């Protein structure tokens, strides 16, 4: 029977009434108690008590702590009743509390003596009650709305107890001058640190921030701290970089904060203390000690990819970055840097060996990865490297490499004059391929090591590499579509072999997907030379899958599902960004991660006194792989051309302009459904299909045919690429036809 009574007592205790968060704080301050005092008596963390008092989104104590906390507040309320005002009577402590109760458990062992001592003895009550101050210091640099509660839908911390507070936090200063850390899931932590070195220590020892590794042999993600302008001021950092500092990308070495870090034996990476600073100590065994800082006011969040994220209040910014971190990964820098780091996180270069006879493990190459050692700069095929690479140092200074010397796989930038029939139509309609470059990476075999040079090879469409071959004989007026030969108007089609759509005039270097497409169109190919990679694999599949899932999940949150009918899909896409502007920022960042990550595979020199013929920093990493970038772009361009050919063969319609993954057609109506050949809701097999999945298309924009003709006439550019301006009709940056 006694056990039953104990259970009843615990159930009652789990619902002990508590006053609102503001009243909790008033009572504590009125008795001159600190957060540490209360935390010590209740045997909880200081941050936990702070969260109970948070006016943004207070958490509720559960289990043993709730009864003890309620008892403390009740005694304080008797000592310091809330003062009544003429406008509003003093609010009594509510008799009931509607928050979801914590699980019933054993009654606390604490508490009465500790609380009584704390309330009555440790801090004697003053002769007269001291109401909480009604004035609070404010920071001139705080943005309005910074104390707004975190919106719904913020991802909470993971299940890993080491990272229970999530992957990141946004630091700001409240009206009372306290530093607060806004975490994902609406959690707000008090930050006791008074300096950057102390902040790093607190983050690693107490904050429980970070994220678990994405792959078995990988590494956990380091915690990320985002510093608002108010937080920068608090920690002695400038709210903006000077012009000299901005060009250098970092604070000068003599800055006082950097000196503080040096004295505390913390190190900075080679990029120094800049918009994305990494502060670390050398790892000991498997234990890492590294914290990354993101500083939006130093342009850490590029507005081209993150929109106005850098101007959001802390809770909203934590939501945006938290969604991105949970679905992609914790940002490691720009979206381009993060895209590249995601490849490595999913395919770590090394793994631990099985234990030997002494139980010791060593590091070995992780199969399927790009390895930990970069390809020696002088081992690169000359055709695959950009101008200025060390392997080209013996070329004449002003030599311009032609197609037979340089692999030039780039996205489309093509347009043509409209025919008379097209001029009689009313509209120009643009469709855009979703996540086109991600779709081009899906299932693509790429080289995992150095290339082997061969002469007069037999072309193998399954072998990644670069091939010197003459494709000038491919005639687009008669091609194979599937197993049948079809006749087309080749003058209205771009060549699939060049970015500008021009027909090749002789031998040129091409990536494997381009040469394979020439075979698919029904033409023989005879390479005279090649650089092939016999060690290969589908390295980018995991990268594609994670970014695809992030994109689809976020679009679904915005009301655009993957299984919508064509008309419903177009309706759902209309104004989707306005339904939740913060999630729309995440969509933009995910797409930028795809393009930027692929661009980083062929990163060019970035100043630093580089001169042509000398190596640059990016060459030293194993993920400097221009051949992989070329293969993805090649496959993306070929995928688009294949759809265009099938559409032309079935409908007789040809594109007017193409820019990267956007295609413009002349049509009688303003909707893609006015020219896409849907039959009973089903698209043309292998052609354009409306939908949100990568590789499917969405409506990019519609303009009048008269607009297109007027623009071309105004700029005297009959082949002006209208796909560049189809979205909103605004024409800018036109120079000699472009």
């Amino acid at each position: 029977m006694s056990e039953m009574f104990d259970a009843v007592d615990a159930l009652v205790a789990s619902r002990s009434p508590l006053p609102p968060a503001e009243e909790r704080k008033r009572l504590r301050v009125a008795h001159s108690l600190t957060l540490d005092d209360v935390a010590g008596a209740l045997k909880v963390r200081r941050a936990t008590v702070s969260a109970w008092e948070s006016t943004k989104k207070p958490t509720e104590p559960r289990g043993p702590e709730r009864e003890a906390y309620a008892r403390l507040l009740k005694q304080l309320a008797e000592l310091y009743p809330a003062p009544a005002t003429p406008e509003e009577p003093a609010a009594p402590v509510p008799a009931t509390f509607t928050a979801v109760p914590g699980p019933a458990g054993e009654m606390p062992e604490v508490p009465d003596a500790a609380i009584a001592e704390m309330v009555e003895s440790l801090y004697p009550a003053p002769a007269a009650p001291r109401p909480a101050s009604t004035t609070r210091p404010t920071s001139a640099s705080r943005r309005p709305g910074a104390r707004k509660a975190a919106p719904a839908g913020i991802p909470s911390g993971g299940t890993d107890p080491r990272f229970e507070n999530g992957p990141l936090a946004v630091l700001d200063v409240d009206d009372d001058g306290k530093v607060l850390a806004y975490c994902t899931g609406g959690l707000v932590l008090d930050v006791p640190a008074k300096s950057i070195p102390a902040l790093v220590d607190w983050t690693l020892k107490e904050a429980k921030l970070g994220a678990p590794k994405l792959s078995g042999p990988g590494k956990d993600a380091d915690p990320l701290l985002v510093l608002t302008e108010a937080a920068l001021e608090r920690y002695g950092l400038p709210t903006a970089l000077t012009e000299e500092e901005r060009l250098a990308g970092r604070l000068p070495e003599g800055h006082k904060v950097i000196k503080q870090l040096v004295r505390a034996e913390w190190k900075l990476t080679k990029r120094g203390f800049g918009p994305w600073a990494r502060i670390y100590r050398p790892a000991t065994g498997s234990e890492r000690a590294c914290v990354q800082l993101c500083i939006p006011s130093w342009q850490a969040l590029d507005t081209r990819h993150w929109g106005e994220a850098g101007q959001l209040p802390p809770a909203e910014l934590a939501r945006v970055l938290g969604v991105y971190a949970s679905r992609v990964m914790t940002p490691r820098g720009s979206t381009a840097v993060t895209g590249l780091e995601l490849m490595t996180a999913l395919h770590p270069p090394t793994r631990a060996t099985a234990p030997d006879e002494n139980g010791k493990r060593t590091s070995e190459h992780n199969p399927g990865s790009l390895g930990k050692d970069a390809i020696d700069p002088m081992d690169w095929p000359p055709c695959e490297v950009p101008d200025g690479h060390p392997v080209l140092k013996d070329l004449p200074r002003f030599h311009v490499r032609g197609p037979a010397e340089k692999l030039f796989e780039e996205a489309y930038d093509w347009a043509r004059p409209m025919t008379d029939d097209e001029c009689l139509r009313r509209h120009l309609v643009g469709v855009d391929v979703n996540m086109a470059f991600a779709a081009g990476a899906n299932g693509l075999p790429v080289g995992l090591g150095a290339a082997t040079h061969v002469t007069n090879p037999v072309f193998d469409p399954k072998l990644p590499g670069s091939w010197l071959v003459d494709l000038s004989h491919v005639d687009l007026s008669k091609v194979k579509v599937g197993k049948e030969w079809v006749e087309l108007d080749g003058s209205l089609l771009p060549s699939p072999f060049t970015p500008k759509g021009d027909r090749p005039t002789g031998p040129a270097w091409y990536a494997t997907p381009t040469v394979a497409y020439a075979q698919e169109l029904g033409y023989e190919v005879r390479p005279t030379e090649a650089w092939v990679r016999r060690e290969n694999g589908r390295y980018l599949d995991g990268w594609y899958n994670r970014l695809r899932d992030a994109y689809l999940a976020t679009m679904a949150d915005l009301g655009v599902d993957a299984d919508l009918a064509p008309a419903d899909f177009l309706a759902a896409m209309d104004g989707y960004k306005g339904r939740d502007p913060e999630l729309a920022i995440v969509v933009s960042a995910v797409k930028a991660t795809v393009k930027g990550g692929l661009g980083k595979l062929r990163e060019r020199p970035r100043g630093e006194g580089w001169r042509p013929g000398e190596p640059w920093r990016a060459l030293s990493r194993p993920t400097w792989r221009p051949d992989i970038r070329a293969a993805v772009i090649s496959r993306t361009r070929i995928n688009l051309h294949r759809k265009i050919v099938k559409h032309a063969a079935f409908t007789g319609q040809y594109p007017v302009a193409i820019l990267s993954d956007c295609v413009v057609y002349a049509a009688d109506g303003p909707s893609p459904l006015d020219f896409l050949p849907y039959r009973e809701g089903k698209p043309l097999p292998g052609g354009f299909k409306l939908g949100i999945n990568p590789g499917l298309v969405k409506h990019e924009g519609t303009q009048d045919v008269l607009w297109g003709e007027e623009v071309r006439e105004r700029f005297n550019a009959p082949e002006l690429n209208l796909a560049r301006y189809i979205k909103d009709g605004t024409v800018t940056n036109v120079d000699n036809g472009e």
Side-chain angles (χ1 to χ4, degrees), residues 275-326:
W276 291 94
R278 296 187 68 80
I279 304 170
Y280 73 100
R281 285 188 180 127
T284 55
S286 61
E287 294 296 323
R288 290 166 56 81
C290 182
V291 173
Q292 179 159 304
L293 304 183
C294 168
I295 306 178
S297 65
W298 295 4
Q299 280 70 58
L301 301 175
D302 192 326
T303 55
R304 294 173 298 174
H305 310 140
W306 290 102
E308 299 303 316
Q311 304 301 317
L312 291 174
E316 282 79 355
L317 179 55
R319 181 195 184 205
V320 169
L321 295 176
V323 172
Y324 180 90
S326 65

Side-chain angles (χ1 to χ4, degrees), residues 4 33 78-79 176 199 210 224 232 261 272 289 294 322 394 430 436 439 449 478 481 485 492 504 564 573 625 664:
M4 187 179 299
L33 297 177
E78 292 173 355
L79 288 172
D176 294 331
L199 178 63
L224 172 66
L232 290 172
L261 291 169
C294 168
D394 294 330
K478 186 177 182 180
V481 178
W485 287 91
L492 301 180
L564 294 173
M573 287 294 295
R625 294 298 301 271
V664 176

Side-chain angles (χ1 to χ4, degrees), residues 317-606:
L317 179 55
R319 181 195 184 205
V320 169
L321 295 176
V323 172
Y324 180 90
S326 65
R327 293 177 177 175
V328 180
M329 70 179 299
T330 305
R332 296 288 303 272
S334 67
T335 51
V337 169
T338 304
L340 194 68
E341 291 288 341
L342 180 61
M343 297 180 194
T344 302
L346 294 168
H347 283 285
T350 60
R351 67 178 183 183
T353 62
D356 58 19
E357 61 275 7
N358 298 319
K360 184 178 179 181
R361 297 177 182 268
T362 57
S363 178
E364 68 176 3
H365 171 65
N366 184 28
S369 75
L370 294 181
K372 65 178 181 179
D373 298 319
I375 297 174
D376 187 283
M378 302 310 292
D379 288 341
W380 275 98
C383 63
E384 291 181 347
V385 299
D387 294 337
H389 190 276
V391 81
L392 304 175
K393 64 180 180 180
D394 294 330
L395 286 179
R397 182 176 179 184
F398 297 107
H399 176 75
V400 178
R401 293 185 295 162
E405 299 172 282
K406 180 180 180 180
L407 178 67
F408 192 64
E409 296 284 10
E410 298 294 339
Y412 267 130
D413 185 355
W414 169 87
R416 62 170 175 80
M418 285 186 277
T419 65
D420 292 343
D421 179 68
E422 289 166 341
C423 289
L424 295 176
R425 299 184 184 274
R426 298 184 60 186
H427 301 283
L428 294 171
V429 184
V431 291
D432 180 81
V433 182
N434 295 312
M435 300 273 283
F437 294 99
N442 183 31
L444 177 68
V446 299
L448 300 177
T452 301
H453 184 251
V454 291
T455 55
N456 297 317
V458 175
F459 176 68
D460 182 353
K462 297 181 180 180
L463 187 60
S466 301
W467 310 79
L468 181 62
V469 58
D470 188 351
L471 300 180
S472 60
H473 62 291
V474 178
D475 185 3
L476 295 181
S477 63
K478 186 177 182 180
V479 297
K480 263 190 175 182
V481 178
K483 296 182 179 180
E484 297 182 0
W485 287 91
V486 297
E487 293 186 359
L488 303 171
D489 189 340
S491 65
L492 301 180
L493 285 171
S495 167
F497 310 126
T498 61
K500 289 292 185 181
D502 302 324
R503 186 169 178 170
T505 58
W509 285 99
Y510 303 102
T512 297
T514 302
V515 184
Y517 186 58
Q519 277 191 334
E520 181 183 325
L521 293 175
Y523 291 86
E524 185 180 21
V525 295
R526 294 183 178 178
T528 58
E529 189 178 349
W531 291 88
V532 297
R533 291 174 168 84
R534 305 194 187 280
E535 180 190 356
N536 57 74
R538 293 166 58 160
Y539 173 75
L540 295 174
D541 276 10
W543 183 80
Y544 161 79
N545 289 333
R546 187 156 181 88
L547 289 166
R548 175 205 61 196
D549 292 347
Y551 176 70
L552 293 181
T554 311
M555 290 301 295
D557 290 342
L558 288 166
V560 185
D561 295 317
D563 56 355
L564 294 173
D568 294 335
F569 168 71
L570 292 174
M573 287 294 295
D574 187 18
Y576 77 93
K577 294 182 179 180
R579 294 177 199 135
D580 191 330
E582 291 166 17
L583 287 183
I585 292 175
V586 177
V587 171
S588 173
V590 171
K591 293 193 289 188
T593 303
V594 173
K595 291 186 177 180
L598 293 172
K600 277 282 185 180
L601 292 171
R602 197 191 66 164
E603 184 175 353
R604 303 297 301 275
R606 304 178 65 182

Side-chain angles (χ1 to χ4, degrees), residues 138-155:
T138 60
S139 170
S141 62
R142 265 189 85 258
R143 290 185 288 274
R147 293 303 299 272
K148 183 179 177 182
I154 302 180

